[in-house]
Amino acid sequence: MWPRATPPRAWNGTGSTPHFSEIVLGRCFTYTQLLRPELGHADCGQIGKAFTNAFLSKDPCHSSEQDYQLLLKLTSQTIPCHSSVFWSKSTQLAHLYTRVRQDMFTLEDTLIGYIADGLNWCGDAGSYEMNYQSCPHWRKDCINNPVSVFWDTVSKRFAENACGEVQVVLNGSVSNTFDKNSTFGRVEIHNLHPGKVSVLKAWVMHDIGGVYSYHTCSSPIIDDLKFILSKRNISFTCEDDYRPIKFLQCV
Ligand code: 2NF
């Protein structure tokens, strides 16, 4: 191996996850062979290559949606109507819900989301290798980093493909229950197709035993969400502490 000309730049974010490629490959096989064998035809070797090719040897502050197009194509998946579940500030609870309701899907219950969840990755324009030392932090370095662009791109596709009645699990125990700058508020709601999605059902969940809830369905912050959807001709309903999810907080 030739010595590299310049060391990779030091960024403020965590470096790539050790054994990134092996984890991607392993998760792809786990998903397609064990969890959802109906997707057994997916080519995990190609998916792994398309994933790393999306960001290797590239400036990690100039990642683009285009970089991920082949990966998106290789991981296309049909989610049945009425089964998409979005979430914001409620990752654990939303995933507990879809673990119990196997017919419902968060993005992380789809192949691409399952493969990438919790991982970190970036490369460097001057190298063929991943940068395991550091990666751009989305707030401190640059927003167009490989991880942020990836989640925006796959979240957009997930929303575009949603149909029928869709759900969102929101956290009523934080100040930004609905956050216009979150992926849900910035990307997903704007990419739901009116006509394809009939209604968005929001479940505003509150911590058990919490003495103070920041927001409920009657809060003005929820009206912001309702207003955006009404402008887009998508119906909206909201329920506080939806029981099928509420009871999961006790387990
Ligand atoms: O890591 C994921 N699995 C992930 C990341 C971003 C977006 C999943 N998503 C999709 C899911 F499908 C949900 O429907 O978007 C929805 C959730 O994203 P959100 O931004 O509305 O929810 P938060 O709880 O605010 O954030 C989720 C995670 O993403 C990080 C944030 O720190 C948290 O760990 N995050 C949010 N925006 C960015 C960004 N621009 C970000 N990380 C990097 N760059």
Side-chain angles (χ1 to χ4, degrees), residues 85-91 95 106-108 113-114 116-120 136-139 142-143 145 147-152 154-156 158 167-170 176 179 181-188:
V85 178
F86 300 93
W87 56 269
S88 198
K89 327 283 173 209
S90 57
T91 176
H95 294 122
T106 63
L107 174 57
E108 297 73 24
Y114 181 82
D117 196 26
L119 302 183
N120 226 7
H137 186 277
W138 59 293
R139 289 187 204 273
C142 53
I143 194 71
N145 65 77
V147 177
S148 299
V149 170
F150 168 87
W151 285 112
D152 279 5
V154 296
S155 299
K156 181 180 164 195
F158 185 62
Q167 309 180 18
V168 62
V169 181
L170 297 175
N176 48 358
D179 178 357
N181 298 317
S182 69
T183 315
F184 174 67
R186 184 172 45 81
V187 179
E188 292 175 329

Side-chain angles (χ1 to χ4, degrees), residues 112-125:
I112 191 60
Y114 181 82
I115 288 176
D117 196 26
L119 302 183
N120 226 7
W121 61 90
C122 68
D124 185 89

Side-chain angles (χ1 to χ4, degrees), residues 110-204:
T110 68
L111 174 59
I112 191 60
Y114 181 82
I115 288 176
D117 196 26
L119 302 183
N120 226 7
W121 61 90
C122 68
D124 185 89
S127 159
Y128 294 114
E129 281 154 40
M130 297 191 59
N131 187 345
Y132 293 105
Q133 261 63 56
S134 66
C135 288
H137 186 277
W138 59 293
R139 289 187 204 273
K140 296 178 193 158
D141 296 308
C142 53
I143 194 71
N144 287 328
N145 65 77
V147 177
S148 299
V149 170
F150 168 87
W151 285 112
D152 279 5
T153 305
V154 296
S155 299
K156 181 180 164 195
R157 176 176 70 173
F158 185 62
E160 280 171 350
N161 290 341
C163 47
E165 297 187 354
V166 301
Q167 309 180 18
V168 62
V169 181
L170 297 175
N171 186 344
S173 298
V174 296
S175 60
N176 48 358
T177 299
F178 170 63
D179 178 357
K180 281 180 184 163
N181 298 317
S182 69
T183 315
F184 174 67
R186 184 172 45 81
V187 179
E188 292 175 329
I189 49 170
H190 300 285
N191 283 286
L192 296 172
H193 279 205
K196 217 168 131 187
V197 171
S198 53
V199 56
L200 174 76
K201 295 180 163 183
W203 316 122
V204 177

